[in-house]
Each structure stands twice: as structure tokens, then as C-alpha cells.
Amino acid sequence: DSGVTQTPKHLITATGQRVTLRCSPRSGDLSVYWYQQSLDQGLQFLIQYYNGEERAKGNILERFSAQQFPDLHSELNLSSLELGDSALYFCASSVRGVDEQFFGPGTRLTVL
Amino acid sequence: AQSVTQPDIHITVSEGASLELRCNYSYGATPYLFWYVQSPGQGLQLLLKYFSGDTLVQGIKGFEAEFKRSQSSFNLRKPSVHWSDAAEYFCAVGAMEYGNKLVFGAGTILRVKS
């Protein structure tokens, strides 16, 4: 157990819908990262937050957004969902930013 | 652009045999290097990391990796594989200059035969 929690574990929804994925980092970690894992793209970095502020952005679609709240938990919002958004979404956290990242168990999103 | 190459998609080894998983990277900054393992349906577990210093690093579960700057490689090794090591292994690279995001290789699936 890495100490990073993610909810829900599984999510099944329809195209065009919007979902919110939640992540709670390890106690004391200020930095949160979101990654997408799919069969065709592999593991891709989406976005990073550090102490409530966006720090780095990767291959995140405009339909996707994220935020980190004052209690340091983070949410990833996915809207206008498409079949291709079906993937495993991981949250990771680290103490600051320049150190190892600990991954949560992931949320498996299925878009039908 | 930053990239990580794991040239072997699948590797099969016999239980008790030695293992080496290859990782090469291309990075325009001083890299930090990691190996993660993922069991089916599970998240990613950190095996070991390299930031600086001794280029041979020890990790959990008896794994080690060696950083070779001249070859841009960070290969993972284990002297004797156990059946429970069967999983998918990912090499990842990060750098402070790029916000410490991790760039992952495509992964190597390890099968262990008894």
C-alpha cells in the first residue's frame, strides 16, 4: 500500500458524459500527478499540481481538467467522454516534486 | 524530446535464473531514473531509483540497477528470479527541468517458467 488513495476504483459511463476522479496523496506529500495508462498510448503524464498550483502539463486534452484543493486532495475531471478515453487513470504523489512518486491503485474508466 | 526505450516487450526466464531488463533513455537534462513494477490489476510499485552518486543502486525484492551515462542506460537486474516476480516492469525518467513529470517506457512483461 503506497498510501495514495483513489476513488472510485471502477467507473463505467457513456459517451458524452462527465466524470470526476478523486485522489488523496500520501500524508505530507505536496505534489500530485495524474497519468493515463492505455493499451495504445502506454503510460502518459497528464498534469502535475504542487501545493494547490498547477506545475506542469503534459498530453492532457482540453476536455480534461484538474485541481488540487487546500487539503491537498486532487480531482481530475473528464468531460464529453469518448470511447478512446477508456483507460486506467493513476494518481501519484511526492513530497515536493524532485523525488520519487508513489502511485495509487488507479481508477479504471470504461466509456461505452 | 524525452523518450525511454524498453526494447523487450516480453521476456521469459526460468525460475532461479538471472534477469536483465534493458532501458535506454534520451533526455536533454540531468535525468532521474526509476524502475516500477505493475502486477495485473494493480498500481505501480517503485522498485528503485537513481538520483545521483553511486551508479549501482539497490532496490526492493532483490533488484538492482546500474546507471551508465555513456550508454544512456539504466538496466534492471536480479540474480535469481522467483515466480512471484512475474509482472510488467516499467522504466521511467524524470528531470527537475521538466517539472519532474515521469516519462515511461512501454514496459517489459516478465514471464517466469517453473
Side-chain angles (χ1 to χ4, degrees), chain B residues 12-31:
Chain B
T12 300
V13 299
S14 298
E15 192 169 15
S18 63
L19 170 71
E20 182 169 30
L21 301 183
R22 295 181 291 163
C23 172
N24 292 95
Y25 66 89
S26 173
Y27 232 66
T30 303

Side-chain angles (χ1 to χ4, degrees), chain A:
Chain A
D1 185 355
S2 67
V4 179
T5 61
Q6 290 186 247
T7 57
K9 195 166 185 177
H10 301 278
L11 201 47
I12 301 174
T13 188
T15 54
Q17 295 299 304
R18 173 189 168 95
V19 297
T20 297
L21 312 183
R22 183 187 169 102
C23 167
S24 293
R26 295 186 319 157
S27 177
D29 284 0
L30 299 178
S31 204
V32 168
Y33 307 78
W34 287 97
Y35 293 86
Q36 179 194 60
Q37 185 179 34
S38 62
L39 284 175
D40 53 345
Q41 297 289 326
L43 269 160
Q44 299 271 324
F45 167 74
L46 295 178
I47 197 164
Q48 176 203 3
Y49 278 82
Y50 177 79
N51 204 19
E53 294 189 3
E54 183 183 304
R55 180 60 64 92
K57 223 168 184 176
N59 299 323
I60 188 166
L61 300 171
E62 285 194 12
R63 301 183 284 109
F64 296 1
S65 65
Q67 55 184 327
Q68 186 179 27
F69 294 86
D71 66 353
L72 301 177
H73 91 272
S74 178
E75 292 181 356
L76 179 67
N77 300 295
L78 315 176
S79 61
S80 303
L81 285 168
E82 303 175 358
L83 296 178
D85 298 327
S86 295
L88 197 50
Y89 291 85
F90 285 110
C91 168
S93 73
S94 65
V95 175
R96 298 165 295 154
V98 188
D99 43 25
E100 62 262 41
Q101 297 176 26
F102 293 88
F103 281 73
T107 294
R108 182 168 295 283
L109 172 66
T110 302
V111 182
L112 301 175

Side-chain angles (χ1 to χ4, degrees), chain A residues 33 35 37 43 45 48 56 88 90 94 97-105, chain B residues 32 34 36 38 41-44 46 49 51 90 96 98-102 104:
Chain A
Y33 307 78
Y35 293 86
Q37 185 179 34
L43 269 160
F45 167 74
Q48 176 203 3
L88 197 50
F90 285 110
S94 65
V98 188
D99 43 25
E100 62 262 41
Q101 297 176 26
F102 293 88
F103 281 73
Chain B
Y32 307 129
F34 307 86
Y36 285 86
Q38 184 179 28
Q42 302 295 314
L44 295 157
L46 180 67
K49 61 185 185 269
F51 284 92
F90 292 92
M96 189 170 59
Y98 301 121
N100 206 39
K101 67 174 185 180
L102 292 181
F104 284 87

